[in-house]
Amino acid sequence: MTPLACQIAAGATEALLSGPGGREVDADSLRGTGCAAGPGSGLDPAARVALYLKDPLEVIRALVALDGQVAALLLLSQGLSAATAGQLARAAGCTILLCDEAPQEGDADAEGGAPLRRTPAAVLAPHRRAEPPAASVATQWLMTTSGTTGLPKIVPHTLATLARSVVRLRPGMAGSIPGSVAGGMPIWGLLYDPTRFAGLQVVLQALIGGGRLVAVDTSLPLAAQVAALAAAGVTHLSATPTLWRRILMVPDHGRIPLAQATLGGEIADQPTLAAVRAAFPAARLTHIYASTEAGVGFSVTDGLAGFPLSWLDAPPGPVRLRLHDGILWLRPPVTALTPGQTPGQTLGQTLGQPPGVEIDAEGYVRSGDRVEIAGGRVLFLGRENGLINIGGVKVYPETVEAVVKAVPGVALVQVSGKRSPVTGALVVAEVQLAPGADPETVRLAVQAACRARLEREAVPAIIRFVAGFATNAAGKLMRTG
Amino acid sequence: MTTLEDDIRRVFAQVWALEKGSAAPELLPETVLLETGLDSLGFAIFVSSLEEALGYDPFTLSQDAYYPQTFADFVQFYDRYRPKP
């Protein structure tokens, strides 16, 4: 497999990356970034390296320097606490944790099984290699799932599976690539975390596909981020529907000279698609559907929610689609599998589906996404397991219910999602009070308990008191919606 | 009109107090809502609380997608979709 350093698009502009604070990295310097291998460095082909870095440019430099050189790269988000990051690094068998701070005197660096802490300055060597070396190792890329139930899961990928949807652009191809800029290459804006699936897609598209990547400081107010994107002349931008709706509330959003607007990570509804189209009439509008279960996805570019019903018979790409029980099933392309193996045997290992994924005899994978047919479209309704997506943050009702149930005065609780025109959904808790309990006291106690134990998105935005619940034949609360 | 505006200010202050634990900033007609410091989630809770208080949600009722930027835009938007008696 060709390492990432060798795949950086030829003809990439001098300033390939620009990051927070105006820092720039040119293509040659990025290609030439090596790692300080050698005796005692711990960086050998058997090394497993966890990346836990704040600056998106450092994440990208580390990925380029280490792909093909080490056995595994674990991408950890800054959204994870240091303790969780350490736990995940250990779970993935990492030998090195690349982070912003070197170990302090007295840190338990040699604690049993703990990875060695290293900073990029100690590990990444600028211009160390004259030309990128041939791949010595097929590096495993380990991504983590987002979610609020316990420790995030580690999902193994390879650069090939992650870069499968990258489109390789050439200057002058503008006419044939929808959404590309006449005469020039795209300037990609990065608002996502580069260690997450969606952000990494943007990074790989820019590096391999060609163009320039502008990473903004996402800790700044959104108006400042939008101003930075506009000043950098960003032409291609990908964000969740929730973030798009927020961008549209920034008065100067129209100054971003967009040729391509992409929505992903949540269901893109018609009002949001229409609003983005109206705000950026010159831009091509795409919404992305991705299934973690099937390890694949597809994009829709006609500006309408869902996808055309005709795709069930004639899919536009290599992924085959089928509806069964009101659920979308997808059959990944055979090319994604190891030759000589059947889909049923290899899907789990090759694409890293979470365990328990259902695959039928023909190789279709149950996505868990509920759909309905209306007006010649297949529209997405939500997750069959009740998972609530609040602006891209996924919350399991059971996690919230477990916290609410423990509050004195709560007899029964059912948590569900309520549609929100701002964040897609909000968490609603319906509570049946214990005899004699005071509603206002319980409301405050539920809010306090949830704030203390759950992330913000998972805290019920609405608490309703109900007289009782419907139960099914097994006596379980029925989950609807 | 004044009553609706007052209702919106009251709900904004409640949501702000719950989310931020402090007194809400003053809302002038030209205040840009995004710059008040309420994030997406806070804004979603604000819109949902208004729906509980007023009985309607213009974002869901409106056919074309519209994202009010200033407080005056926002009040006008709610006024336009106020159920007619």
Side-chain angles (χ1 to χ4, degrees):
Chain A
M1 186 184 305
T2 318
L4 180 56
C6 302
Q7 291 196 51
I8 294 175
T13 48
E14 280 177 17
L16 182 62
L17 307 175
S18 64
R23 182 179 168 208
E24 300 210 320
V25 176
D26 66 54
D28 282 344
S29 141
L30 188 64
R31 279 193 202 96
T33 302
C35 51
S41 71
L43 285 169
D44 52 52
R48 301 174 70 83
V49 182
L51 307 181
Y52 183 57
L53 299 163
K54 200 168 180 180
D55 184 344
L57 262 48
E58 288 299 289
V59 173
I60 296 167
R61 287 183 68 227
L63 290 173
V64 173
L66 298 173
D67 181 51
Q69 306 300 305
V70 295
L73 287 167
L74 172 66
L75 287 80
L76 297 173
S77 166
Q78 286 289 308
L80 301 167
S81 69
T84 306
Q87 253 178 305
L88 285 165
R90 234 169 292 181
C94 289
T95 46
I96 293 179
L97 176 65
L98 202 52
C99 55
D100 294 309
E101 282 168 40
Q104 303 290 310
E105 200 67 36
D107 268 11
D109 207 33
E111 183 191 324
L116 297 169
R117 290 165 66 102
R118 291 284 181 269
T119 61
V123 166
L124 307 182
H127 297 292
R128 184 147 187 120
R129 49 188 191 209
E131 53 190 67
S136 47
V137 195
T139 302
Q140 206 177 29
W141 290 48
L142 306 173
M143 309 290 292
T144 62
T145 55
S146 60
T148 59
T149 312
L151 201 61
K153 291 188 183 69
I154 296 169
V155 185
H157 284 270
T158 65
L159 180 58
T161 60
L162 290 166
R164 196 189 298 141
S165 62
V166 165
V167 180
R168 286 170 175 77
L169 307 172
R170 287 195 313 270
M173 280 175 75
S176 58
I177 302 289
S180 68
V181 183
M185 294 294 278
I187 302 175
W188 306 89
L190 181 65
L191 291 172
Y192 286 138
D193 183 335
T195 65
R196 297 284 195 197
F197 192 83
L200 190 60
Q201 292 294 307
V202 177
V203 170
L204 294 177
Q205 177 60 53
L207 292 186
I208 300 172
R212 176 185 169 142
L213 185 75
V214 175
V216 299
D217 184 347
T218 49
S219 67
L220 294 175
L222 190 64
Q225 295 180 45
V226 166
L229 294 173
V234 163
T235 59
H236 287 53
L237 191 61
S238 184
T240 58
T242 291
L243 188 51
W244 277 113
R245 290 187 281 264
R246 203 162 156 72
I247 288 170
L248 297 183
M249 291 180 69
V250 175
D252 287 338
H253 63 260
R255 290 196 189 159
I256 310 174
L258 287 188
Q260 168 70 52
T262 305
L263 292 78
E266 288 173 85
I267 297 170
D269 59 6
Q270 198 55 50
T272 306
L273 286 164
V276 176
R277 164 141 289 168
F280 301 99
R284 178 181 190 249
L285 186 61
T286 302
H287 60 99
I288 308 266
Y289 167 81
S291 163
T292 316
E293 283 75 9
V296 292
F298 52 81
S299 59
V300 183
T301 56
D302 60 10
L304 298 175
F307 63 87
L309 185 58
S310 61
W311 286 11
L312 296 179
D313 296 322
V319 178
R320 304 215 157 250
L321 310 169
R322 168 183 286 181
L323 304 189
H324 187 63
D325 291 342
I327 303 293
L328 179 66
W329 294 63
L330 304 100
R331 196 179 75 185
V334 177
T335 50
L337 308 171
T338 309
Q341 291 177 300
T342 63
Q345 289 172 327
T346 60
L347 274 168
Q349 298 85 26
T350 312
L351 298 168
Q353 283 92 357
V357 169
E358 203 179 327
I359 303 173
D360 74 9
E362 292 172 66
Y364 283 82
V365 182
R366 186 184 185 100
S367 70
D369 290 307
R370 295 186 301 117
V371 290
E372 67 172 3
I373 297 170
R377 305 290 288 186
V378 178
L379 300 171
F380 293 98
L381 298 175
R383 299 284 296 172
E384 62 177 326
N385 59 7
L387 186 81
I388 310 166
N389 189 333
I390 301 116
V393 177
K394 292 165 184 143
V395 173
Y396 286 92
E398 294 82 356
T399 313
V400 185
E401 285 168 0
V403 173
V404 177
K405 227 176 269 178
V407 174
V410 174
L412 281 174
V413 58
Q414 183 170 32
V415 167
S416 58
K418 171 191 190 292
R419 278 197 182 213
S420 161
V422 184
T423 49
L426 283 174
V427 174
V428 178
E430 291 178 299
V431 173
Q432 187 182 336
L433 291 168
D438 170 55
E440 273 323 294
T441 311
V442 171
R443 181 190 299 275
L444 293 174
V446 166
Q447 280 167 348
C450 290
R451 277 167 199 272
R453 295 190 44 200
L454 299 169
E455 61 186 315
R456 238 189 108 215
E457 286 79 2
V459 175
I462 298 157
I463 299 170
R464 286 197 196 114
F465 295 104
V466 295
F469 290 105
T471 47
N472 66 12
K476 290 176 76 175
L477 289 187
M478 289 200 297
R479 196 173 293 294
T480 50
Chain B
M1 182 73 191
T2 319
T3 325
L4 176 65
E5 191 175 324
D6 290 347
D7 283 344
I8 294 176
R9 281 181 200 278
R10 182 175 47 79
V11 172
F12 182 82
Q14 284 168 356
V15 172
W16 185 280
L18 194 68
E19 289 298 304
K20 305 269 186 178
S22 61
E26 193 185 356
L27 292 172
L28 301 170
E30 65 276 16
T31 302
V32 174
L33 289 168
L34 253 193
E35 288 165 8
T36 56
L38 212 56
D39 66 358
S40 283
L41 184 60
F43 197 71
I45 294 170
F46 176 40
V47 169
S48 159
S49 304
L50 277 173
E51 186 187 357
E52 304 251 314
L54 304 174
Y56 68 102
D57 168 12
F59 290 94
T60 306
L61 295 173
S62 77
Q63 289 305 304
D64 41 278
Y66 172 68
Y67 295 94
Q69 293 173 357
T70 65
F71 182 62
D73 293 345
F74 190 83
V75 173
Q76 216 172 47
F77 185 53
Y78 271 79
D79 188 47
R80 199 180 322 145
Y81 285 93
R82 192 180 352 199
K84 300 287 172 279

